[in-house]
Amino acid sequence: MGTEYMISEINQKIRPLLLTVNTVNINECINRLTEIEWFENKLKKYTVYFKYFYVELDAIPDGDALQYHIHSYYADVYAYKERLLRFIKFIKKNIPRDEEVVESLNGLIDRIDIQFKPITDIGNNHKHGGNKGDFGYYINAPATEVEILKNFSSILHSDGLKDTINWDYANILLREKEEKAVENLDKEKELWSLQSKQCEQWSVATSDMIYRLSDLIYEISGIRDAALELEKYVKLEN
């Protein structure tokens, strides 16, 4: 009976407070927060992608797979950052003008920009050009070394050239360089796995900051008073 009475009391007190609900803003907040959570969960997987997600197919060597992971990683970090910033700007646009709140939100925007800048700056090379002399496409050097050596070996074995090579010396040199290239590639996989782990920690911390904006989310959704009233009953139950 006590629980039924409390539910009835909650309904009586909260229902009138929901007359100001802004369904457009509620749906917008839900959609944007869902996107942020989706990208956060996706970024968590890159520690595994970089370290283990490779296939035993000649058509897709490990270097190509690593390069693919790097490009996907940069794109996802950039998309995640942009969704964070757009959500904060959406809140800022819809709240009543309050200098202190606006200043706080601007500070959060700057913090997110600075936090992800080391990654997104490099990621811009993915879109606008990486190493000097490339073709507008970011290339990770260790990811390409093994394949470059294989291509070089094929050239040495081509007709008209293979008979001029000292193969005793060339085979030793090629083997040494290939072993070193494979070692560099394994180190690069580990390096990217560690870097993505750091980014994962940033994303979790940043998302926590976003969820702490709940009061502002309630306000622009027109449910702030109802949420505060319901919170009283939650505290009573606990």
Side-chain angles (χ1 to χ4, degrees):
M1 179 64 71
T3 302
E4 290 178 2
Y5 175 78
M6 180 172 285
I7 291 173
S8 175
E9 184 181 354
I10 291 172
N11 281 331
Q12 289 177 16
K13 289 195 174 184
I14 290 181
R15 193 178 295 277
L17 299 176
L18 294 176
L19 296 175
T20 58
V21 169
N22 185 325
T23 55
V24 173
N25 281 357
I26 285 181
N27 288 332
E28 192 67 27
C29 287
I30 290 172
N31 290 338
R32 289 173 184 259
L33 287 170
T34 300
E35 281 191 337
I36 288 170
E37 184 178 18
W38 188 85
F39 274 102
E40 180 188 324
N41 289 333
K42 193 174 182 188
L43 290 177
K44 290 177 182 177
K45 298 174 184 176
Y46 276 99
T47 54
V48 177
Y49 288 160
F50 282 127
K51 200 166 185 178
Y52 302 111
F53 198 35
Y54 301 91
V55 294
E56 296 182 3
L57 291 174
D58 291 338
I60 307 177
D62 281 8
D64 285 2
L66 176 59
Q67 188 75 29
Y68 177 84
H69 295 334
I70 291 170
H71 291 165
S72 298
Y73 174 65
Y74 281 145
D76 285 340
V77 170
Y78 179 80
Y80 173 71
K81 187 199 82 167
E82 286 301 304
R83 278 159 177 78
L84 289 170
L85 296 181
R86 287 174 192 167
F87 183 53
I88 297 170
K89 291 172 183 176
F90 170 76
I91 293 175
K92 192 170 79 167
K93 178 183 175 182
N94 285 277
I95 58 170
R97 303 307 295 175
D98 182 313
E99 288 187 13
E100 187 176 339
V101 172
V102 170
E103 185 178 343
S104 176
L105 292 175
N106 285 337
L108 184 55
I109 288 171
D110 291 341
R111 183 173 176 179
I112 290 170
D113 262 331
I114 291 170
Q115 192 165 16
F116 288 95
K117 185 175 173 56
I119 299 173
T120 53
D121 275 0
I122 298 174
N124 283 333
N125 289 331
H126 165 62
K127 295 178 291 182
H128 306 300
N131 304 323
K132 289 182 179 179
D134 68 15
F135 301 99
Y137 191 74
Y138 176 77
I139 296 175
N140 179 272
T144 62
E145 285 180 4
V146 174
E147 291 308 301
I148 288 174
L149 279 170
K150 287 182 179 178
N151 291 337
F152 181 62
S153 178
S154 295
I155 293 171
L156 293 181
H157 283 86
S158 62
D159 292 340
L161 188 58
K162 62 183 178 183
D163 295 333
T164 67
I165 303 297
N166 179 344
W167 285 107
D168 289 338
Y169 172 74
N171 284 331
I172 293 173
L173 187 62
L174 286 170
R175 185 166 57 251
E176 288 176 351
K177 287 188 173 296
E178 184 173 350
E179 288 173 355
K180 184 64 176 176
V182 170
E183 181 183 337
N184 289 340
L185 180 58
D186 287 340
K187 287 180 180 178
E188 198 70 7
K189 292 176 185 177
E190 183 68 29
L191 180 67
W192 281 96
S193 182
L194 291 172
Q195 187 195 86
S196 66
K197 184 66 177 177
Q198 183 183 33
C199 182
E200 176 194 330
Q201 292 168 350
W202 290 347
S203 69
V204 170
T206 306
S207 292
D208 284 346
M209 287 189 285
I210 294 295
Y211 293 126
R212 288 195 199 106
L213 300 175
S214 57
D215 280 352
L216 297 179
I217 295 171
Y218 294 156
E219 186 169 346
I220 66 175
S221 301
I223 59 171
R224 184 173 183 275
D225 291 341
L228 291 175
E229 188 66 32
L230 184 59
E231 201 173 86
K232 295 177 184 177
Y233 287 95
V234 172
K235 287 179 179 177
L236 282 175
E237 282 293 293
N238 293 333

